[in-house]
């Protein structure tokens, strides 16, 4: 179970969440691609990847809009929505190009494609450390801050500008929602482009 592991080892939150995403979302991505290929047997891999991209870019915008209404918790809610959507997007694109989305290698690739780690070597080393972590370390708050920073990296600019958006929203109703939709969509499009570049033969 990822919940207790996250509580005990918050510093490994990005890695533990990537492993959970592959386990949970990977089979769903495989099933979705199989259904699409069954419904559209003439569709090539690029076409299926484009369909997945459109689906999850749209979801990223919707998730950002919903999160924008979360008040003081909006940055955390938006971050969770964005990361969940990006994981789905990466795994669906991988499946579209014939890569097994539930394979353990996808976790390292996911961490790189969402800009948590700079390369797959670093991501694999961090995943190995997360898997082998034993008893909770003393003084976890520093590791919590580190985990939060690394998790926030893909959407740092968006989350970092949240205060300005909230202030602008007082003068321009709907500004925060519009910015959340635009930012979530743009972030998903960037991840999609990196995923296609990684998985296309």
């Amino acid at each position: 179970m990822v919940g207790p592991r996250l509580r005990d080892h918050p510093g490994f939150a990005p890695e533990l969440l990537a492993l959970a995403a592959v386990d949970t979302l990977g089979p769903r991505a495989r099933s979705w691609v199989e259904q699409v290929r069954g419904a559209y047997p003439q569709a090539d891999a690029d076409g299926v990847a484009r369909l997945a991209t459109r689906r999850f870019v749209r979801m990223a915008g919707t998730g950002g809009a919903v999160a924008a209404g979360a008040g003081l918790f909006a940055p955390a809610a938006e971050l969770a929505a964005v990361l969940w959507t990006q994981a789905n997007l990466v795994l669906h694109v991988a499946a579209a190009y014939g890569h097994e989305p539930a394979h353990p290698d996808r976790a390292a690739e996911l961490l790189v494609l969402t800009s948590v780690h700079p390369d797959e070597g670093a991501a694999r080393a961090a995943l190995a450390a997360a898997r082998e972590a034993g008893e909770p370390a003393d003084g976890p708050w520093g590791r919590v801050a580190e985990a939060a920073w690394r998790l926030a990296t893909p959407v740092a600019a968006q989350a970092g500008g949240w205060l300005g958006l909230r202030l602008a929203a007082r003068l321009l109703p709907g500004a925060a929602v519009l910015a959340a939709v635009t930012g979530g969509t743009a972030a998903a499009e960037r991840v999609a482009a990196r995923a296609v570049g990684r998985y296309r033969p």
Side-chain angles (χ1 to χ4, degrees):
M1 295 291 291
V2 70
R5 295 281 291 164
L6 280 173
R7 184 189 63 240
D8 291 343
H9 302 287
F12 289 121
E15 292 76 23
L16 293 171
L17 290 172
L19 292 168
V22 170
D23 288 343
T24 302
L25 303 177
R28 298 178 191 175
R30 184 196 318 115
S31 177
W32 181 84
V33 168
E34 289 171 353
Q35 290 174 5
V36 169
R37 292 193 187 285
Y40 305 100
Q42 302 303 317
D44 62 6
D46 285 333
V48 176
R50 281 193 299 272
L51 187 60
T53 297
R54 281 198 298 269
R55 177 186 183 197
F56 289 105
V57 165
R58 186 169 55 247
M59 287 178 65
T62 302
V66 171
L72 293 175
F73 297 102
E78 183 177 350
L79 179 59
V82 166
L83 293 176
W84 185 255
T85 302
Q86 289 179 356
N88 254 315
L89 173 55
V90 168
L91 295 173
H92 279 70
V93 170
Y97 286 109
H99 298 267
E100 169 52 55
H103 191 282
D105 286 350
R106 301 294 87 81
E109 295 159 5
L110 179 58
L111 290 168
V112 174
L113 292 170
T114 55
S115 302
V116 174
H117 285 288
D119 56 62
E120 289 180 27
R124 283 192 291 270
L127 286 165
R131 289 186 187 103
E132 295 168 4
E135 292 300 312
D138 292 333
W141 291 110
R143 294 185 66 81
V144 170
E146 178 189 353
W149 175 257
R150 290 193 291 140
L151 277 169
T153 297
V155 287
Q158 186 178 352
W162 197 263
L163 179 59
L165 291 175
R166 300 305 287 175
L167 293 174
R170 291 175 182 256
L171 300 175
L172 299 169
V177 172
L178 179 60
V181 170
T182 303
T185 298
E189 287 173 343
R190 288 192 296 271
V191 170
R194 291 195 292 267
V196 169
R198 173 66 178 79
Y199 295 119
R200 177 189 277 157

